[in-house]
């Protein structure tokens, strides 16, 4: 592995590797099929569902940033989740997942339980009892920071407990990205991403990736991804690689903006609560400081009522009212009516999601513009209440 800084490795991944023309940027290989060099002599690639050179450059680049043995690029984050869960959970085995898991992942796990493929148990890994929640798991599924409350799981403690119980650990690292958090360093076996979010970073590609600590696991994941037809497209891989080159720049700028916004929110009378692991008042602030490089750029806060939310979001100029996250542009979403609308109100309440709660995906715009726009929105919210 190169000894260069990850920032340098992200920029240089696949650069200068074209022997045919010396193209500086690795070319996009759109061909679906590859000629054998002779009878019974396949090359490194034969068919693009199984393997594609453009996809390999992206997979190697992300695996390198995560510190894994290799990776598989998939057509979406959910394709990565599917590959990981089917490759790792044995038939009839037990999957233990967070009670506040990403909704799409929960829907898949629940469907696999209803069709008899596995047993699903939901747990809260974020408290001091997190490691004890492993129980009889075959696979422990973690998300940290969680959505939308940004609860933090102790990756080292839960991974150690899982391994002691003979379970494997998968971490959905979408909310942090490898620029901020590398779960394999804390003992996780597999990392999955929605590359749709920070890795691509421009809200114009749906893609995913699954990275494993060991070569055997990478091979198993690649086998499942090929067998199920989950692998990603060449052009999407090319775009995501272009996005990945600026991951560290984007994350640094977005985190700076997030701190400025958190400062505004923490001091504004319209705000009843701010959830951000970078705040010293966050219950797991010290743990976040230990296992993350920075605190990410997702900020959740509560303005008390749906009326206040409405007054705030109607009139924003620098934040789009939209789901998703991790792009260069700032977004605001209302968890109760948008990302978590399919949850029954009592389940939402149990997960701590209130009607006055908004989640920001802070982008890389000018901090003063974002703060001024949000301050005006908060003033409207205060007047509406
Ligand atoms: C978006 C997201 C996914 C699903 O990814 P897609 O690319 O939309 O399929 C999975 N996990 C988390 C945490 C996400 O935010």
């Amino acid at each position: 592995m190169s000894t260069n800084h990850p920032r340098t490795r992200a920029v240089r991944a696949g650069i200068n590797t074209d022997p045919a023309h010396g193209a500086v940027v690795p070319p996009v290989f759109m061909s679906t099929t590859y000629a054998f060099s002779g009878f019974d002599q396949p090359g490194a690639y034969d068919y693009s569902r199984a393997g594609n050179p453009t996809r390999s450059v992206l997979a190697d680049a992300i695996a390198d940033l995560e510190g894994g043995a290799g990776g598989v690029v998939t057509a979406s984050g959910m394709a990565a989740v599917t590959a990981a869960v089917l490759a790792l959970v044995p038939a009839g085995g037990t999957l233990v997942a967070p009670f506040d898991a990403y909704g799409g992942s929960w829907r898949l796990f629940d469907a696999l339980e209803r069709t008899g493929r596995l047993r699903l148990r939901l747990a809260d890994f974020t408290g001091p009892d997190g490691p004890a929640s492993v129980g009889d798991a075959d696979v422990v599924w973690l998300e940290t920071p969680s959505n939308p409350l940004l609860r933090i799981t102790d990756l080292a403690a839960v991974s150690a407990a899982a391994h002691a119980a003979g379970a494997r650990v998968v971490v959905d690292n979408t909310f942090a990205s490898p620029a901020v958090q590398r779960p394999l360093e804390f003992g996780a076996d597999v990392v999955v991403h929605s590359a749709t979010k920070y890795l691509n970073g421009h809200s114009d590609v749906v893609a995913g990736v699954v990275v494993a600590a060991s070569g055997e696991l990478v091979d198993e994941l690649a086998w499942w991804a090929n067998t199920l037809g989950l692998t990603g497209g060449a052009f999407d891989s090319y775009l995501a690689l272009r996005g990945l080159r600026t991951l560290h720049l984007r994350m640094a700028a977005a985190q700076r903006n997030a701190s400025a916004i958190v400062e505004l929110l923490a001091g504004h009378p319209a705000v009843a609560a701010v959830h951000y692991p970078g705040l010293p008042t966050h219950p797991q602030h010290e743990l976040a400081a230990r296992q993350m490089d920075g605190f990410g750029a997702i900020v959740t806060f509560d303005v008390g009522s749906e009326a206040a939310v409405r007054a705030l979001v109607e009139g924003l100029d620098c934040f789009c009212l939209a789901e998703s996250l991790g792009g260069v542009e700032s977004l605001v979403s209302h968890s109760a009516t948008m990302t978590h609308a399919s949850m029954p109100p009592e389940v939402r309440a149990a997960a701590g999601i209130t009607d006055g709660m908004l989640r920001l995906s802070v982008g890389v715009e000018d901090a003063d513009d974002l703060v001024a726009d949000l301050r005006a929105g908060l003033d409207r919210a205060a007047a509406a209440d």
Side-chain angles (χ1 to χ4, degrees):
M1 199 200 282
S2 161
T3 56
N4 285 331
H5 190 279
R7 204 183 292 134
T8 309
R9 305 210 301 269
V11 170
R12 295 209 60 83
I15 293 282
N16 260 341
T17 55
D18 169 33
H21 304 293
V24 170
V25 172
V28 195
F29 289 90
M30 295 304 288
S31 185
T32 56
T33 187
Y34 295 82
F36 284 47
S37 60
F39 180 74
D40 204 22
Q41 286 173 352
Y45 298 96
D46 56 10
Y47 183 60
S48 265
R49 170 161 41 74
N52 173 280
T54 314
R55 200 162 69 222
S56 293
V57 175
L58 177 63
D60 290 349
I62 298 170
D64 175 44
L65 296 181
E66 288 286 4
V72 182
V73 167
T74 55
S76 67
M78 282 315 303
V81 171
T82 302
V85 75
L86 292 181
L88 295 176
V89 184
T94 298
L95 171 67
V96 184
F99 72 104
D100 54 357
Y102 174 72
S105 301
W106 176 82
R107 183 170 56 191
L108 172 66
F109 302 158
D110 180 60
L112 290 172
E113 172 166 65
R114 281 190 287 101
T115 51
R117 171 62 177 76
L118 53 74
R119 286 196 308 133
L120 174 64
R121 186 157 57 76
L122 299 178
D124 180 3
F125 290 106
T126 62
D129 299 334
S133 301
V134 167
D136 60 346
D138 291 290
V139 171
V140 171
W141 195 275
L142 302 176
E143 284 180 29
T144 181
S146 71
N147 179 26
L149 271 292
L150 306 168
R151 299 180 176 107
I152 307 292
T153 295
D154 187 332
L155 290 171
V158 176
S159 297
H163 289 157
R168 289 205 275 214
V169 178
V170 182
V171 180
D172 184 333
N173 201 28
T174 300
F175 267 46
S177 93
V180 172
Q181 174 175 274
R182 290 160 302 280
L184 302 184
E185 289 175 359
F186 297 96
D189 301 285
V190 170
V191 167
V192 303
H193 274 281
S194 169
T196 313
K197 317 292 168 53
Y198 286 109
L199 296 180
N200 177 62
H202 294 75
S203 306
D204 54 6
V205 175
V206 173
V209 65
V210 46
V211 171
S214 78
E216 301 88 90
L217 266 180
V218 176
D219 291 345
E220 258 179 78
L221 291 161
W223 186 90
W224 277 101
N226 179 42
T227 298
L228 293 167
L230 302 174
T231 51
F235 196 71
D236 285 350
S237 297
Y238 165 82
L239 284 175
L241 182 67
R242 185 165 74 164
L244 187 74
R245 300 207 186 286
T246 55
L247 172 68
H248 296 80
L249 270 180
R250 287 186 283 105
M251 286 308 306
Q255 290 188 125
R256 271 198 307 278
N257 285 349
S259 317
I261 284 172
V262 165
E263 200 182 310
L264 165 74
L265 293 171
H268 197 286
V271 179
V274 187
H275 305 278
Y276 185 65
L279 272 175
T281 51
H282 185 286
Q284 294 144 313
H285 173 66
E286 270 163 37
L287 170 61
R290 237 185 303 134
Q291 75 181 16
M292 301 169 77
D293 294 335
F295 300 100
I298 306 294
V299 179
T300 298
F301 64 103
D302 199 323
V303 289
S305 70
E306 197 173 302
V309 163
R310 189 182 292 271
L312 193 161
V313 299
E314 291 186 343
L316 285 176
D317 176 44
C318 296
F319 293 80
C320 296
L321 182 62
E323 295 182 5
S324 198
L325 60 121
V328 287
E329 70 291 328
S330 292
L331 304 177
V332 56
S333 72
H334 183 232
S335 305
T337 57
M338 295 169 69
T339 51
H340 292 70
S342 58
M343 271 188 177
E346 62 279 7
V347 180
R348 260 203 316 269
I353 299 166
T354 61
D355 290 346
M357 195 170 273
L358 286 166
R359 186 191 77 190
L360 303 176
S361 171
V362 180
V364 304
E365 303 89 338
D366 182 75
D368 293 343
D369 289 342
L370 295 179
V371 165
D373 193 30
L374 204 54
R375 179 180 287 118
L378 291 168
D379 292 347
R380 288 194 297 276
D385 237 358

XYZ file of all heavy atoms in Angstrom, residues 76-78 81 102 105 143 172 174-175 194 196-197 206-207 325, ligand 1:
135
model
N -26.130 0.035 -6.235
C -26.735 0.964 -5.275
C -26.227 0.592 -3.890
O -25.624 -0.481 -3.708
C -28.272 0.853 -5.306
O -28.676 -0.422 -4.820
N -26.503 1.449 -2.926
C -26.188 1.106 -1.549
C -26.969 -0.125 -1.119
O -26.437 -1.010 -0.438
N -28.247 -0.212 -1.517
C -29.058 -1.375 -1.130
C -28.516 -2.666 -1.751
O -28.640 -3.739 -1.156
C -30.533 -1.161 -1.498
C -31.290 -0.253 -0.531
S -31.010 -0.595 1.229
C -31.505 -2.313 1.357
N -25.847 -3.678 0.590
C -26.454 -4.248 1.801
C -26.910 -5.682 1.512
O -26.675 -6.606 2.304
C -27.636 -3.370 2.278
C -28.416 -4.047 3.404
C -27.133 -1.989 2.728
N -31.130 2.369 8.932
C -31.619 2.965 7.690
C -32.877 2.209 7.230
O -32.886 0.973 7.210
C -30.510 2.892 6.618
C -30.960 3.359 5.267
C -31.193 4.709 5.012
C -31.172 2.449 4.232
C -31.625 5.144 3.773
C -31.604 2.874 2.986
C -31.828 4.226 2.762
O -32.254 4.639 1.538
N -32.639 -0.644 4.678
C -31.978 -1.842 5.202
C -32.951 -2.606 6.094
O -33.087 -3.824 5.985
C -30.723 -1.454 6.001
O -29.822 -0.749 5.178
N -24.633 0.994 12.465
C -24.633 2.282 11.756
C -24.220 3.340 12.760
O -24.911 3.536 13.763
C -26.038 2.627 11.230
C -26.440 1.853 10.010
C -27.851 2.224 9.531
O -28.294 3.371 9.754
O -28.489 1.334 8.942
N -22.320 -0.018 8.307
C -22.745 0.892 7.244
C -22.088 2.238 7.546
O -22.486 2.927 8.481
C -24.281 0.996 7.235
C -24.800 1.855 6.082
O -24.057 2.754 5.624
O -25.949 1.642 5.656
N -21.890 4.923 5.644
C -22.351 5.962 4.720
C -22.310 7.353 5.331
O -21.912 8.319 4.666
C -23.803 5.647 4.281
O -23.809 4.367 3.634
C -24.341 6.707 3.337
N -22.735 7.488 6.605
C -22.869 8.825 7.203
C -21.519 9.482 7.506
O -21.451 10.699 7.661
C -23.710 8.763 8.493
C -25.165 9.022 8.254
C -25.832 8.401 7.201
C -25.878 9.902 9.054
C -27.170 8.647 6.959
C -27.223 10.162 8.813
C -27.874 9.529 7.773
N -23.528 3.444 0.906
C -24.239 4.004 -0.222
C -23.276 5.026 -0.818
O -23.101 6.112 -0.256
C -25.536 4.685 0.229
O -26.058 5.426 -0.861
N -23.803 6.623 -3.274
C -24.701 7.701 -3.711
C -24.473 8.971 -2.887
O -24.717 10.078 -3.361
C -26.166 7.245 -3.499
O -26.312 5.917 -4.015
C -27.150 8.174 -4.158
N -24.000 8.803 -1.658
C -23.890 9.915 -0.720
C -22.486 10.521 -0.804
O -22.130 11.040 -1.836
C -24.260 9.419 0.684
C -25.503 8.489 0.718
C -26.813 9.174 0.380
C -27.967 8.201 0.142
N -28.223 7.219 1.183
N -26.319 6.821 -8.404
C -26.734 5.844 -7.392
C -25.760 4.679 -7.480
O -25.609 4.077 -8.556
C -28.186 5.370 -7.625
C -28.539 4.221 -6.659
C -29.167 6.520 -7.430
N -25.062 4.397 -6.392
C -24.070 3.315 -6.396
C -23.800 2.884 -4.964
O -24.204 3.560 -4.009
C -22.771 3.777 -7.060
N -28.385 12.793 1.157
C -27.335 13.510 1.897
C -26.013 13.302 1.187
O -25.912 12.496 0.264
C -27.231 12.954 3.331
C -26.887 11.469 3.427
C -25.615 11.241 4.210
C -28.014 10.677 4.067
C -28.922 5.951 1.280
C -28.491 4.933 2.275
C -28.497 3.549 1.963
C -29.031 3.013 0.656
O -28.266 3.435 -0.435
P -28.857 3.620 -1.924
O -27.664 4.065 -2.681
O -29.966 4.626 -1.849
O -29.379 2.276 -2.360
C -28.020 2.670 2.922
N -27.581 3.095 4.127
C -27.576 4.404 4.466
C -27.089 4.814 5.807
C -28.032 5.358 3.554
O -28.041 6.654 3.900
